[in-house]
C-alpha cells in the first residue's frame, strides 16, 4: 500500500466513524438560561445542510459542558440525533469529566441515546500521570461499543497526552482518532507515524498545517459560520490543489482569530445572534460579549467574507 493509499484508507475509516468536517456545537439556551430544545434542533439542522458539516459534537467545551447537568446533556444528545436523523450526520457526544466513573456514566447515557461516537478529553484539574490518563481512556472505551475520539488540549486540562500514551491507547480497537489541540505539530506527526489514529484538527488556526502532516479533518468552532468553506479547504487539499487550500486558509485567518478573542462559546453565540440563528446567552462563569467586543467580532467576520445574515 502506498502512502497515499494508506492515508485514503484511514480517511475513509475515520469518515465512516465520525465524519470529516465536524462542528463542536454550542448548547442553545433561552433568555432565562434554560435549554432551548427547539433552538438546538434548528441549529443542528442548519449546521448540517448540504455542503456543510457531516458531524456534530455536542456537550463539548464550546457546548459549555462544564455548566450543564447530566440530564441536560442527555436531552441535548437526543434532540440533535432526532434533528439530523436520516441525513447521515454523525453525532459525537463529549463525555469529558474530571473523574473516570462520571465519564463512563456519560458515555453509557450517550450510547443509550443513540450517539454515533464519543469525544473523550484527558481528565482535568487532578493532573494525573500518563498511566492514569491511559487507564482513564481505556476504561471509557471499554464501557460502550462506540468508537472513541481522544481529545488532547493541555491548555485546558492542565496535562498533555504524551506520544507514548497515545500510541498505547491506539491499541484499543475502539480508540480510532484524536482531536488535536496541543499545538505541537512535531509530536502529532510522530504519533501519526507510529499509529493508525486518525487526526482531526481541534485548533482552527492549524487546520491547514495539520492536514499537511496527515490529519483527515476538523473538529471546528468556526464551522458554525463557515462550515462550507472548511469543506472546500479539505477538498482542495485532498485533491492536491494546495494553492487553493492555502488561499482559503488565509481568507479565514480573521475569523480564526476573532472567534477566540473571548471564550469561543460566547463569540459563537454572538455570531449566531447576528445571523438570526439560535444560541442565546452563555452561563456563568462565562459572560456574553460586550458591545465593543461584538463590533470587533463583526469586523472579523466581514473580513473573512461571512455574510451579515443568513438566507431563510
Amino acid at each position: 500500500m502506498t502512502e497515499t493509499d494508506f492515508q485514503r484508507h484511514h480517511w475513509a475509516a475515520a469518515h465512516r466513524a465520525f465524519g470529516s468536517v465536524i462542528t463542536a456545537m454550542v448548547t442553545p439556551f433561552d433568555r432565562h438560561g434554560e435549554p432551548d430544545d427547539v433552538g438546538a434542533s434548528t441549529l443542528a439542522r442548519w449546521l448540517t445542510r448540504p455542503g456543510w458539516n457531516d458531524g456534530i459534537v455536542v456537550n463539548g467545551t464550546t457546548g459549555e459542558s462544564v455548566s450543564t447537568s447530566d440530564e441536560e446533556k442527555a436531552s441535548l444528545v437526543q434532540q440533535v440525533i432526532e434533528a439530523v436523523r436520516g441525513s447521515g450526520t454523525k453525532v459525537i457526544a463529549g463525555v469529558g469529566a474530571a473523574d473516570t466513573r462520571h465519564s463512563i456514566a456519560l458515555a453509557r447515557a450517550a450510547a443509550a441515546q443513540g450517539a454515533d461516537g464519543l469525544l473523550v478529553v484527558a481528565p482535568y484539574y487532578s493532573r494525573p500521570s500518563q498511566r492514569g490518563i491511559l487507564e482513564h481512556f481505556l476504561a471509557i472505551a471499554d464501557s460502550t461499543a462506540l468508537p472513541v475520539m481522544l481529545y488532547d488540549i493541555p491548555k485546558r486540562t492542565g496535562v498533555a497526552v504524551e506520544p507514548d500514551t497515545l500510541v498505547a491507547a491506539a491499541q484499543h480497537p475502539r480508540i480510532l482518532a484524536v482531536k488535536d489541540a496541543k499545538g505541537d505539530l512535531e509530536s502529532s506527526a510522530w504519533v501519526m507515524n507510529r499509529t493508525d489514529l486518525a487526526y482531526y484538527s481541534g485548533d482552527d488556526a492549524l487546520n491547514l498545517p495539520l492536514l499537511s502532516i496527515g490529519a483527515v479533518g476538523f473538529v471546528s468552532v468556526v464551522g458554525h459560520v463557515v462550515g462550507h468553506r472548511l469543506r472546500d479547504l479539505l477538498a482542495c487539499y485532498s485533491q492536491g490543489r494546495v494553492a487553493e487550500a492555502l488561499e482559503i486558509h488565509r481568507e479565514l485567518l480573521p475569523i480564526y482569530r476573532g472567534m477566540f478573542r473571548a471564550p469561543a462559546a460566547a463569540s459563537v453565540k454572538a455570531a449566531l445572534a447576528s445571523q438570526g440563528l439560535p444560541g442565546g446567552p452563555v452561563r456563568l462563569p462565562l459572560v456574553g460579549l460586550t458591545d465593543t467586543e461584538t463590533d470587533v467580532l463583526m469586523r472579523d467576520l466581514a473580513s473573512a467574507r461571512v455574510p451579515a445574515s443568513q438566507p431563510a
Side-chain angles (χ1 to χ4, degrees):
M1 182 181 290
T2 68
E3 183 177 358
T4 299
D5 289 339
F6 179 82
Q7 291 172 337
R8 287 174 178 168
H9 170 75
H10 290 295
W11 183 91
H15 183 268
R16 286 193 297 271
F18 304 109
S20 55
V21 179
I22 306 162
T23 284
M25 194 181 92
V26 297
T27 300
F29 298 129
D30 64 23
R31 62 189 180 90
H32 302 294
E34 297 302 317
D36 178 2
D37 292 342
V38 173
S41 298
T42 299
L43 183 58
R45 285 191 293 267
W46 189 84
L47 290 174
T48 58
R49 64 202 192 280
W52 278 60
N53 299 278
D54 54 4
I56 294 177
V57 168
V58 294
N59 298 325
T61 306
T62 312
E64 299 176 73
S65 59
V66 297
S67 303
T68 57
S69 69
D70 290 1
E71 292 76 14
E72 288 170 338
K73 289 178 174 65
S75 177
L76 181 62
V77 171
Q78 182 178 15
Q79 291 294 329
V80 172
I81 288 173
E82 291 178 356
V84 302
R85 192 182 304 279
S87 68
T89 299
K90 302 298 183 181
V91 179
I92 304 151
V95 296
D99 71 281
T100 306
R101 285 194 289 183
H102 191 187
S103 283
I104 287 173
L106 293 173
R108 288 174 173 164
Q113 294 289 342
D116 295 294
L118 304 175
L119 180 67
V120 181
V121 73
Y124 42 82
Y125 189 72
S126 59
R127 300 186 67 184
S129 67
Q130 292 298 307
R131 185 164 64 90
I133 294 170
L134 177 61
E135 293 296 329
H136 175 82
F137 288 156
L138 297 179
I140 297 167
D142 282 340
S143 70
T144 80
L146 294 177
V148 172
M149 180 186 294
L150 305 180
Y151 185 12
D152 189 9
I153 183 165
K155 63 187 175 183
R156 288 190 181 275
T157 63
V159 62
V161 185
E162 298 296 337
D164 286 347
T165 304
L166 290 165
V167 171
Q171 302 305 307
H172 194 288
R174 285 187 290 280
I175 296 178
L176 304 183
V178 176
K179 177 185 176 183
D180 183 21
K182 184 182 287 182
D184 184 343
L185 295 179
E186 181 182 5
S187 174
S188 301
W190 274 108
V191 176
M192 283 185 252
N193 187 51
R194 295 173 63 193
T195 73
D196 61 358
L197 289 169
Y199 261 63
Y200 289 77
S201 173
D203 184 343
D204 279 307
L206 295 182
N207 285 345
L208 181 58
L210 274 162
L211 288 181
S212 76
I213 62 169
V216 301
F218 319 121
V219 180
S220 175
V221 170
V222 305
H224 282 89
V225 291
V226 290
H228 58 312
R229 293 169 73 184
L230 295 183
R231 182 160 297 283
D232 290 344
L233 170 61
L234 181 59
C236 287
Y237 189 85
S238 301
Q239 295 165 14
R241 294 182 283 136
V242 178
E244 293 176 60
L246 179 58
E247 182 179 359
I248 296 170
H249 171 76
R250 288 174 172 170
E251 289 173 349
L252 293 177
L253 285 174
I255 191 173
Y256 289 164
R257 176 170 292 181
M259 280 292 198
F260 294 96
R261 281 199 176 92
S267 297
V268 169
K269 288 188 171 184
L272 293 175
S274 75
Q275 299 181 343
L277 294 165
V282 291
R283 282 181 175 173
L284 286 171
L286 298 184
V287 293
L289 301 192
T290 65
D291 290 344
T292 299
E293 289 169 333
T294 300
D295 289 343
V296 173
L297 177 60
M298 293 305 105
R299 289 197 294 271
D300 293 327
L301 296 177
S303 295
R305 297 192 295 108
V306 176
S309 61
Q310 294 294 336

